[in-house]
Amino acid sequence: MASSLTIERRNKLAQILIAEGSVKVGKIAEMFGVSTETIRKDLIYLDNKGIATKGHGGAIASGNILAIEQPLARKNTEHLDIKDKIAQIATQLVPEKGVVILDTGSTVQCVAKALVLKSRLTIISNAINIVQPLSGTDNDIFLVGGKFRSSSLAMVGMWGVTAFQSLNADIVFLGTDGLKHRNGPCTASYEEAEIKSAMVKSARLRVVVSDSTKFSSSGLFQFCDWSDIDYFITDSAIPEEELKKLENRTEVVIID
């Protein structure tokens, strides 16, 4: 419980830092009802993750603002051609009559749209925007419940975690946020990290789909290790250093 509270506090602190540009240790300690030493440790953690630049008595936001969650509406307008190509490659991994889990995110939404052409699948997701394109298809669609997050149009919380823990799926498609210098895919939300971790453990084949721009920032919460992922599908603009590191941990598929 203590660890969960720490992670949740750091998530909220990061969001405050990005929104306001800077924070003071004393004020934040009072806000969260913890000691100033605890907040200093939190800021050191965020500094190490590239979110904050710690200074005397507080911290300022670093240049890595993309590590904090961007609105889905904005993501849905960026790099669509690349995301569609990633989706086309990704759907080739789906077995006939397979059980498919779809995570949140704009690239996963492109995967969902590509699955419209398939039939007799069982598709399970916790995101409203993911299942919407699949309505009216010859597939069985399940939407997992929970607390609604408007920023990602997804359901989160233990209700959803428990549901995914009970599943035995053929494949899961996962989205991710900042990836720079991280040892696995990440998300900006602790609550979504819990859901994603459960998804990873519930599927036989685990696939992360993301365009290469995610390597320009550092993610806040890593929800699994790259060694837990079977395929990472991205584009050719991935930094060479990151590509070499990833190729030692998982199968990297680069679209033309």
Side-chain angles (χ1 to χ4, degrees):
M1 176 63 74
S3 177
S4 296
L5 291 175
T6 297
I7 294 173
E8 186 174 357
R9 184 182 64 250
R10 288 173 177 175
N11 188 25
K12 291 179 180 178
L13 176 55
Q15 293 171 349
I16 292 170
L17 181 63
I18 296 302
E20 299 185 4
S22 64
V23 295
K24 294 294 184 182
V25 169
K27 182 179 178 180
I28 293 297
E30 183 179 349
M31 178 186 300
F32 286 108
V34 297
S35 68
T36 55
E37 181 61 26
T38 294
I39 296 301
R40 288 191 181 94
K41 290 179 180 178
D42 289 346
L43 292 175
I44 290 172
Y45 173 85
L46 294 178
D47 193 324
N48 291 336
K49 298 302 181 186
I51 308 299
T53 301
K54 192 177 179 299
H56 181 70
I60 61 174
S62 76
N64 261 338
I65 59 171
L66 287 177
I68 299 301
E69 192 171 29
Q70 301 297 311
L72 184 62
R74 175 179 172 181
K75 293 180 183 179
N76 283 340
T77 64
E78 298 175 334
H79 316 294
L80 286 180
D81 289 346
I82 291 175
K83 292 175 182 178
D84 283 338
K85 289 179 181 178
I86 290 172
Q88 291 299 323
I89 296 298
T91 54
Q92 294 178 21
L93 297 170
V94 177
E96 290 187 14
K97 301 181 182 179
V99 178
V100 183
I101 295 175
L102 297 178
D103 184 25
T104 62
S106 57
T107 308
V108 179
Q109 184 171 346
C110 290
V111 173
K113 292 177 180 177
L115 288 177
V116 167
L117 299 177
K118 293 186 176 290
S119 61
R120 295 186 294 176
L121 298 174
T122 299
I123 300 174
I124 307 159
S125 181
N126 65 320
I128 294 173
N129 64 304
I130 297 299
V131 300
Q132 192 277 330
L134 293 159
S135 63
T137 65
D138 186 21
N139 296 295
D140 291 328
I141 311 299
F142 293 86
L143 179 63
V144 172
K147 184 178 75 173
F148 180 67
R149 292 190 76 239
S150 59
S151 59
S152 62
L153 301 180
M155 306 297 182
V156 296
M158 286 309 299
W159 187 3
V161 170
T162 301
F164 282 112
Q165 287 175 340
S166 70
L167 294 175
N168 182 20
D170 292 298
I171 188 168
V172 58
F173 292 104
L174 299 147
T176 182
D177 292 320
L179 293 172
K180 186 177 181 180
H181 303 321
R182 299 309 304 271
N183 293 320
C186 303
T187 179
S189 163
Y190 170 66
E191 291 178 309
E192 291 202 10
E194 290 183 307
I195 290 277
K196 289 172 183 282
S197 293
M199 289 178 174
V200 169
K201 295 173 183 177
S202 67
R204 178 182 57 82
L205 197 66
R206 289 73 56 93
V207 183
V208 172
V209 290
S210 171
D211 66 83
S212 62
T213 62
K214 300 297 176 63
F215 287 96
S216 64
S217 62
S218 176
L220 189 56
F221 297 112
Q222 182 178 313
F223 57 86
C224 72
D225 190 273
W226 280 119
S227 60
D228 298 318
I229 299 300
D230 298 291
Y231 292 96
F232 173 55
I233 307 176
T234 189
D235 61 87
S236 59
I238 179 175
E240 187 66 27
E241 178 185 351
E242 297 283 3
L243 176 59
K244 289 180 179 178
K245 182 173 67 174
L246 273 171
E247 287 179 330
N248 292 325
R249 310 292 293 279
T250 189
E251 184 76 22
V252 181
V253 178
I254 299 178
I255 64 167
D256 295 330

